[in-house]
Amino acid sequence: MAKDKTTENYVKLMKAMARIAKQRGNRLMIQRCSTDSVFKEVVYLTDSCAVFPIPADVYDANAEACKCPTENNKVDVYKIIRDTCDKGRKTIPTRMLWELKNDILVRVFKTDTDYLFANVIYTDLIDLLPNALHGSECYNEKSCYPIAFYNSNIDMGYAICPIHKGKNGNEDFESCLHDLEKVSYADVE
């Protein structure tokens, strides 16, 4: 029964990502990653603002019905998640929500030096992931790179591009979402 519920949640996640990508005009992309633990093979599904892992067998069985892509893209999503975590500072998700002036609700993340903000459209989807992937800690290198959680025990993780305060303290949300295709690995280094 628990397994069926988990599969059902992954399908909900796929449908939600496809819907959000369509509404926001973002391209939905995937990358397959083989691991030696838990799921053996996982598909990272991204709409350029958020990345979530889904077991390959579940993804393949539901991709067409959920209107999700089946072909890999050239973005190394897995590398972004690993690099962000390996080199990043600790970022703690809080229960605080904040409504921006353009009526976008964001969740607040606290770091040792500042606060980051991420659209609840994406952070609420984390609840559909297994508990092992929720994590109490996540990481980021700089505020313009994805908030990322990575669990070395299961060799998987997720990333969400944050909304961050600019020099004026009120940068527009759209200007803060960085397309994963444009993230420079050299900058992360």
Side-chain angles (χ1 to χ4, degrees), residues 28-34 41-47 51-56 59 69-82 180 185:
L28 207 59
M29 302 176 290
I30 65 167
Q31 180 197 349
R32 290 181 180 273
C33 178
S34 295
E41 186 183 22
V42 65
V43 175
Y44 282 107
L45 178 65
T46 173
D47 74 339
V51 184
F52 295 103
I54 299 168
Y59 189 91
T70 55
E71 297 295 323
N72 266 16
N73 61 78
K74 296 179 181 178
V75 179
D76 194 346
V77 176
Y78 185 65
K79 184 178 189 308
I80 291 174
I81 293 172
R82 289 293 302 268
L180 287 175
Y185 298 137

Side-chain angles (χ1 to χ4, degrees), residues 19-137:
R19 186 178 66 250
I20 291 168
K22 184 176 180 181
Q23 288 173 348
R24 301 186 61 82
N26 294 333
R27 190 160 62 99
L28 207 59
M29 302 176 290
I30 65 167
Q31 180 197 349
R32 290 181 180 273
C33 178
S34 295
T35 65
D36 294 328
S37 55
V38 186
F39 296 131
K40 304 266 187 244
E41 186 183 22
V42 65
V43 175
Y44 282 107
L45 178 65
T46 173
D47 74 339
S48 301
C49 300
V51 184
F52 295 103
I54 299 168
D57 58 340
V58 174
Y59 189 91
D60 292 339
N62 297 283
E64 190 174 332
C66 294
K67 299 180 180 176
C68 291
T70 55
E71 297 295 323
N72 266 16
N73 61 78
K74 296 179 181 178
V75 179
D76 194 346
V77 176
Y78 185 65
K79 184 178 189 308
I80 291 174
I81 293 172
R82 289 293 302 268
D83 287 356
T84 302
C85 175
D86 291 345
K87 299 179 182 299
R89 59 183 169 162
K90 193 178 292 184
T91 306
I92 309 295
T94 73
R95 294 182 181 180
M96 292 185 289
L97 299 177
W98 188 264
E99 189 170 343
L100 299 183
K101 61 180 181 179
N102 48 0
D103 296 326
I104 293 176
L105 191 63
V106 297
R107 184 167 302 283
V108 180
F109 290 77
K110 185 181 186 305
T111 76
D112 52 347
T113 58
D114 57 7
Y115 292 89
L116 304 176
F117 308 93
N119 194 331
V120 294
I121 287 177
Y122 300 109
T123 59
D124 286 355
L125 294 180
I126 294 171
D127 292 337
L128 295 176
L129 293 169
N131 289 335
L133 277 177
H134 285 192
S136 58
E137 297 176 354

